[in-house]
């Protein structure tokens, strides 16, 4: 069966709430059966499956023996892109409550869809027809009898939407919404805090993190709990501690007034029986230079447990002290139960960008395996004080490479190899935790290394933990800047920016970082490729890139595009630097608490997220660049590892190359691990015991999202948000099932 449904502008409202009627019948029939059991077995009622963030399903109708027959059941197309948009990507992990699927589109609109057919029930636009957008990884469901709500964020607003009608709940906040800028440090009219991952429900509380700036003057990463019924703010946990709070002495005296970041942007997990909520935080701001935040900087880069009712601190474990590498903890902690030293222990498993898996006692935060504090290199930037040691778990072993030398550099051709060797030798590199430098530092793992927001999946029946890895080195090149610098002569540079915006931005992005479709990053070209080679590539084209010789027709245009691509200061201040300075000024203007910082040294990483690549934009190290792993949490040993994804253009032998990606896996009782998020646009199923690939299907776009699974009318479905393409830029939600 293949059914395609597209969103329509009108709202859908059922005249009779059949879901409530059958729910009452179910209660009479089941007696003491719990809501949790229903959600755990048939539904996918919470982001990443359940309160424990396991990404595990007990469903087994789709299994190793029949997964080869899995086929498309239905497609839902939001059709909400703006004319002229590039293909959009949704990172939403759909939730399914009984027979209704709830998800968001790439533009951030909320949709309720019939989970058996893909037919639209209703939609809600939090942006009232404006462009919208922003990353949204899912929504949250809450119910009390017939009062059933979807809690989700659009921009810097938190909405409560009636799950049956798609209409705002007027008793919540201000006619259905709450301003998330309220209650932060800065002026609500001058800041914008925007969550990317959904919150989690404990009793009548929605516990929510946020996304904030990563530059100087950023807002602090408060974790907050709101009353689901009223929208009232109930408690706040300060991730940058205030006077008298735990962790205050790990910062300069007044850091709480001006430091920011240390935010939980990856989501939450909950131990409801203990009344504990768990979250993981990112780095303090500014990510790459911390002269104004000397110390360990709690609760940056930490797994934190707090009282879910009150927000009171219980314990923490810091994975990186005084972070200078943007080594955020990017995913919610997985709550697991393991056999350790002959005992069953409730634990927390936390993935990371550095490729360490931290396994901690759930009640105390103590590691189940030994962790060593080892010396790491010191900074050579004036004013910086790196922390002298970092924690190294002894088990499990790192699930991504953590060291490179010249033998690991790619060898596509003699000239490519020579350019990579020259670049490698020109950079500072002393292994993991080599700090940023003015000379330029090779960062490995990079800030997109290890694993990302997709996190891991845990099988409680075996104790196996599944996680993808990325081997993705980057270049950090620091530059001292003056906040009062003004743009004085941008004529040549602006001409180049205009050319780029017209002809190049659709493939390489507004920030020049490329995209998941394989279009390379153009960040940090200086030092890794000559201007002559860039001009030749622009004029001649090659691979996916057409020739632009008809655009770059004279010397003036050559100088303009090179000034922009190489951030030539003689042609005006680089766009990236100016953009960062403008954001810093905006941040600092939002709060009266921020100290006078005019006298402080300021350094910026102007090549942040710049890949280590050869002149043709190919990965600078040998494959595999991405893998899928199974780790036994009972022993800390690896069960298996296999390449994940394949770049056929760069494959030289029989083994697949692996691909970098952010989306995470899902594991089922049917013996399968499902995962997407590779640039070859495949959704794959692996044997959870051996790592053997059992099934794959080519998708119409890039699927940068975690899959979900559920059962409706006795049929199990696998469902996934899929990115757009040239014909359908808004993307789709695709569901797969076995034939009738």
């Amino acid at each position: 069966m293949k059914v395609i449904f597209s969103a329509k502008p009108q709202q859908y409202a059922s005249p009779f709430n059949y879901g409530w009627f059958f729910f009452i019948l179910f209660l009479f029939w089941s007696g003491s059966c719990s809501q949790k059991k229903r959600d755990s077995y048939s539904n996918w009622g919470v982001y990443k499956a359940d309160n424990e963030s396991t990404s595990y399903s007990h469903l087994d109708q789709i299994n190793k023996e029949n997964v080869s027959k899995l086929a498309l059941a239905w497609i839902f197309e939001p059709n909400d892109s703006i004319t002229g948009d590039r293909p959009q990507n949704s990172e939403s992990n759909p939730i399914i409550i009984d027979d209704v699927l709830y998800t968001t589109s790439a533009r951030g609109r909320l949709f309720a869809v019939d989970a058996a057919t893909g037919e639209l029930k209703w939609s809600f636009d939090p942006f009232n027809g404006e462009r919208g957008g922003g990353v949204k990884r899912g929504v949250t469901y809450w119910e009390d009898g017939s009062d059933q709500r979807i809690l989700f964020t659009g921009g810097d607003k938190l909405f409560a939407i009636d799950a049956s009608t798609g209409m705002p709940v007027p008793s919540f906040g201000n006619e259905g919404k709450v301003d998330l800028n309220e209650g932060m440090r800065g002026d609500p009219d001058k800041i914008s805090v925007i969550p990317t991952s959904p919150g989690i429900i404990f009793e009548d509380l929605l516990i929510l993190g946020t996304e904030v700036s990563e530059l100087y003057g950023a807002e602090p990463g408060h974790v907050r709990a709101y009353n689901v019924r009223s929208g009232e703010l109930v408690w706040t946990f300060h991730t940058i501690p205030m006077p008298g709070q735990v962790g205050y002495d790990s910062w300069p005296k007044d850091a709480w007034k001006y430091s920011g970041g240390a935010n939980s942007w990856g989501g939450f997990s909950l131990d409801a029986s203990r009344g504990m909520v768990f979250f993981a935080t990112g780095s303090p701001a500014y990510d790459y230079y911390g002269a104004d935040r000397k110390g360990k900087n709690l609760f940056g880069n930490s797994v934190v447990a707090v009282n879910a009712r009150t927000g009171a601190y219980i314990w923490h474990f810091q994975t990186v002290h005084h972070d200078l590498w943007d080594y955020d903890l990017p995913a919610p902690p997985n709550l697991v139960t393991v056999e350790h030293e002959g005992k069953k222990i409730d634990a927390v498993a936390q993935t990371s960008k550095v490729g360490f898996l931290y396994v901690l006692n759930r009640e105390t935060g103590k590691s189940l395996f030994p962790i060593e504090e080892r010396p790491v290199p010191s900074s050579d930037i004036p004013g910086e004080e790196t922390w002298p040691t970092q924690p190294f778990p002894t088990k499990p072993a790192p699930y991504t490479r953590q060291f490179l030398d010249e033998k690991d550099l790619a060898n596509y051709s003699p000239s490519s190899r020579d350019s990579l060797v020259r670049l490698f030798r020109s950079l500072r590199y002393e292994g993991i935790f080599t700090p940023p430098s003015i000379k330029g530092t090779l960062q490995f793992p990079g800030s997109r290394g290890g694993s990302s927001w997709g996190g891991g999946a845990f099988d409680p029946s075996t104790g196996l933990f599944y996680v993808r890895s990325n081997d993705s080195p980057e270049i950090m090149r620091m530059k001292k800047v003056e906040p009062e610098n003004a743009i004085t002569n941008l004529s040549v540079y602006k001409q180049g920016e205009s050319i780029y915006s017209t002809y190049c931005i659709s493939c390489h992005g507004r920030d020049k970082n490329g995209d998941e479709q394989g279009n390379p990053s153009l960040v940090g070209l200086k030092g890794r490729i000559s201007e002559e080679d860039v001009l030749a590539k622009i004029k001649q084209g090659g691979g996916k890139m057409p020739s632009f010789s008809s655009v770059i027709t004279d010397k003036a245009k050559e100088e303009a595009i090179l000034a922009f691509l190489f951030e030539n200061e003689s042609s005006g201040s680089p766009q990236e630097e100016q953009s960062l300075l403008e954001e810093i000024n905006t941040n600092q203007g939002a709060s009266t608490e921020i100290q006078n910082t005019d006298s402080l040294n300021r350094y910026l990483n102007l090549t942040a997220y710049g890949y280590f690549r050869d002149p043709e934009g190919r990965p600078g190290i040998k494959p595999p660049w991405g893998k899928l792993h199974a780790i036994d949490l009972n022993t800390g040993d690896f069960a298996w590892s296999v390449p994940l994804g394949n770049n056929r253009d760069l494959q030289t032998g029989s083994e697949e190359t692996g691909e970098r990606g952010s989306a995470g896996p899902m594991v089922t009782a049917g013996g399968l691990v499902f995962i997407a998020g590779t640039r070859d646009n495949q959704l794959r199923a692996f044997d959870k015991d051996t790592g053997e690939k059992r099934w794959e299907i080519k998708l119409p776009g890039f699927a940068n999202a975690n899959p979900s699974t559920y059962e409706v009318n006795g049929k199990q479905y696998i469902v996934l948000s899929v990115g757009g393409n040239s014909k359908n830029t808004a993307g789709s939600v695709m569901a797969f099932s076995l034939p009738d």
Side-chain angles (χ1 to χ4, degrees):
M1 175 178 70
K2 176 183 176 182
V3 183
I4 300 178
F5 284 100
S6 296
K8 303 187 189 311
Q10 68 268 22
Q11 299 273 336
Y12 176 95
S14 173
F16 182 75
N17 195 330
Y18 288 99
W20 173 238
F21 172 74
F22 286 113
F23 179 66
I24 294 176
L25 290 181
F26 175 80
L27 286 180
F28 278 111
W29 172 78
S30 62
S32 62
C33 288
S34 68
Q35 177 76 25
K36 181 178 179 182
K37 181 177 179 181
R38 182 190 69 180
D39 287 349
S40 296
Y41 284 82
S42 297
N43 293 345
W44 190 273
V46 183
Y47 175 62
K48 293 185 99 275
D50 47 35
N51 283 337
E52 295 78 20
S53 295
T54 62
S55 291
Y56 174 81
S57 172
H58 294 274
L59 297 177
D60 60 3
Q61 184 181 98
I62 300 169
N63 53 55
K64 299 178 187 180
E65 286 67 41
N66 59 27
V67 68
S68 61
K69 300 177 182 178
L70 201 60
L72 181 64
W74 55 258
I75 304 176
F76 170 73
E77 296 176 345
N79 284 334
D80 65 341
S81 58
I82 304 296
T83 301
D85 272 352
R86 298 177 61 211
Q88 305 292 301
N89 280 317
S90 169
E91 296 180 3
S92 179
N93 176 228
I95 64 169
I96 298 87
I97 307 296
D98 296 331
D99 60 353
V100 182
L101 179 149
Y102 302 95
T103 193
T104 55
S105 66
R107 272 191 59 212
R109 289 176 67 197
L110 173 65
F111 293 90
V113 174
D114 187 308
T117 66
E119 183 177 4
L120 175 70
K121 288 182 171 290
W122 54 256
S123 66
F124 174 77
D125 184 357
F127 303 107
N128 293 319
E130 298 297 322
R131 172 172 287 275
V135 173
K136 291 288 173 287
R137 300 195 178 98
V139 302
T140 308
Y141 176 82
W142 172 89
E143 71 175 19
D144 182 9
S146 61
D147 189 354
Q148 301 167 343
R149 303 183 182 188
I150 298 295
L151 288 303
F152 89 115
T153 57
D156 52 19
K157 303 296 187 295
L158 169 64
F159 292 85
I161 304 298
D162 187 304
S164 298
T165 66
M167 301 300 293
V169 178
S171 60
F172 181 87
N174 180 16
E175 296 298 318
K177 65 182 177 182
V178 168
D179 187 346
L180 295 175
N181 297 334
E182 298 282 351
M184 298 296 287
R185 182 180 62 205
D187 183 340
D189 295 329
K190 297 181 179 179
I191 64 173
S192 186
V193 294
I194 302 176
T196 52
S197 298
I200 201 163
I201 295 289
F202 177 70
E203 297 176 348
D204 285 349
L205 296 177
L206 173 73
I207 302 168
L208 189 66
T210 192
E211 180 99 339
V212 297
S213 170
E214 298 183 349
L215 292 168
Y216 301 100
E219 286 295 299
H222 296 340
V223 172
R224 297 180 286 180
Y226 293 87
N227 184 285
V228 175
R229 300 177 188 273
S230 66
E232 177 188 3
L233 178 62
V234 176
W235 59 254
T236 300
F237 180 86
H238 298 98
T239 59
I240 299 177
M242 302 176 72
Q245 296 178 340
V246 175
Y248 172 73
D249 59 358
S250 68
W251 296 80
K253 177 182 175 181
D254 292 324
W256 63 278
K257 294 181 179 181
Y258 62 84
S259 285
N263 53 312
S264 175
W265 57 267
F268 296 82
S269 53
L270 175 74
D271 185 331
S273 64
R274 289 182 170 93
M276 297 172 69
V277 67
F278 303 83
F279 56 89
T281 60
S283 60
Y286 173 51
D287 303 52
Y288 301 100
Y289 183 70
D292 63 346
R293 54 176 175 88
K294 294 175 181 178
K296 278 191 174 181
N297 303 149
L298 295 175
F299 292 97
N301 309 85
S302 297
V303 184
V304 185
V306 303
N307 185 304
R309 288 189 181 88
T310 66
Y313 167 87
I314 299 176
W315 61 256
H316 78 276
F317 177 84
Q318 189 175 50
T319 61
V320 180
H321 312 314
H322 190 79
D323 184 17
L324 299 173
W325 304 270
D326 192 25
Y327 280 154
D328 293 358
L329 292 174
N334 297 80
L335 302 190
V336 302
T337 299
V338 300
E339 291 272 358
H340 186 73
E341 297 180 347
K343 297 179 181 178
K344 278 193 175 293
I345 296 179
D346 290 340
V348 173
Q350 179 64 55
T351 57
S352 69
K353 291 183 179 180
V354 295
F356 284 132
L357 182 64
Y358 307 88
V359 187
L360 312 172
N361 184 294
R362 197 181 306 177
E363 293 188 336
T364 67
K366 303 298 183 184
S367 177
L368 301 191
F369 302 102
I371 291 183
E372 300 174 353
E373 287 282 342
R374 299 176 184 170
V376 293
S378 298
S379 175
D380 57 9
I381 299 181
E384 183 60 85
E385 292 185 12
T386 43
W387 198 261
T389 63
Q390 295 293 347
F392 285 74
T394 58
K395 262 196 167 186
Y399 57 84
T400 191
R401 284 183 277 178
Q402 292 185 333
F403 183 78
L404 294 177
D405 58 27
E406 290 187 13
K407 73 176 185 303
D408 298 304
L409 302 183
N411 188 13
Y412 304 106
S413 68
S415 61
S416 169
R417 170 77 180 181
D418 288 346
S419 69
L420 287 171
V421 170
R422 286 196 303 271
L423 178 56
F424 182 79
R425 292 176 179 175
S426 74
L427 299 169
R428 181 180 179 185
Y429 181 63
E430 300 163 49
I432 189 173
F433 297 117
T434 303
S437 66
I438 296 172
K439 172 185 178 180
T441 293
L442 179 67
Q443 182 188 8
F444 188 69
S447 64
R448 290 165 295 194
S451 53
S452 189
W453 50 260
F458 177 69
D459 187 340
S461 68
T462 63
L464 290 182
F465 186 87
Y466 303 91
V467 63
R468 81 182 305 157
S469 65
N470 298 309
D471 287 0
S472 182
E474 297 175 8
I475 297 174
M476 301 185 290
R477 200 181 302 274
M478 305 296 288
K479 178 185 176 184
K480 186 176 181 180
V481 296
E482 301 298 336
E484 65 273 14
N485 278 357
I487 298 175
T488 56
N489 178 14
L490 292 180
S491 57
V492 176
Y493 184 85
K494 277 294 185 183
Q495 289 177 43
E497 181 182 7
S498 176
I499 294 170
Y500 180 89
S501 297
T502 302
Y503 299 100
C504 314
I505 199 170
S506 62
C507 291
H508 298 284
R510 188 170 301 280
D511 55 7
K512 297 189 286 189
N513 273 320
D515 62 17
E516 299 289 355
Q517 307 294 334
N519 296 305
S521 169
L522 302 180
V523 173
L525 291 181
K526 189 183 297 183
R528 65 182 174 96
I529 187 172
S530 69
E531 293 186 358
E532 291 77 12
D533 287 343
V534 169
L535 268 182
K537 183 74 171 180
I538 291 172
K539 291 186 173 183
Q540 298 170 14
K544 297 172 63 176
M545 179 176 170
S547 166
F548 287 93
S549 58
S550 61
V551 175
I552 310 301
T553 55
D554 54 41
K555 190 71 174 177
K557 289 181 179 177
E558 290 180 1
E559 292 177 353
I561 191 62
L562 290 175
F564 179 75
L565 292 177
F566 283 83
E567 299 181 342
N568 189 339
E569 294 187 60
S570 65
S571 301
S573 297
Q575 180 197 43
E576 179 69 10
E577 179 179 338
Q578 184 64 24
S579 175
L580 295 176
L581 291 173
E582 289 173 357
E583 184 175 333
I584 291 169
N585 290 334
T586 298
N587 291 344
Q588 296 187 157
S591 176
T592 58
E593 296 286 355
I594 293 181
Q595 64 178 10
N596 186 337
T597 57
D598 291 344
S599 62
L600 292 179
N601 287 335
R602 287 285 178 77
Y603 288 85
L604 290 173
N605 178 10
L606 297 181
T607 57
Y609 313 118
Y611 292 106
F612 178 77
R613 289 176 167 168
D614 84 335
E616 294 297 315
R618 295 169 293 200
I621 60 174
K622 295 175 181 176
W625 303 304
K627 284 187 172 184
L628 180 64
H629 308 272
I631 304 172
D632 188 335
L633 294 190
N634 299 311
T635 64
D637 298 323
F638 281 66
W640 51 259
S641 299
V642 296
L644 178 62
N646 193 34
N647 185 328
R648 293 184 182 276
D649 293 337
L650 300 181
Q651 185 180 12
T652 57
S654 59
E655 186 173 86
E656 295 184 342
T657 64
E659 291 276 16
R660 186 183 67 82
S662 299
M666 171 184 73
V667 60
T668 73
L672 298 167
V673 178
F674 290 88
I675 189 168
T678 51
R679 293 176 181 171
D680 52 13
N681 292 350
Q682 299 280 352
L683 171 62
R684 294 177 170 88
F686 295 87
D687 186 312
K688 73 177 186 179
D689 298 313
T690 66
E692 177 189 356
K693 190 186 339 179
R694 292 298 189 103
W695 173 82
E696 63 183 346
I697 191 170
K698 183 79 170 181
L699 302 170
F702 179 62
N704 196 31
N706 286 20
S708 310
T709 188
Y710 60 94
E711 183 179 86
V712 174
N713 300 328
K715 181 182 286 286
Q716 183 183 356
Y717 296 83
I718 308 295
V719 68
L720 181 69
S721 297
V722 179
N725 54 39
S726 59
K727 295 181 180 179
N728 171 27
T729 57
S732 60
V733 178
M734 301 181 70
F736 303 87
S737 66
L738 298 173
D740 293 329

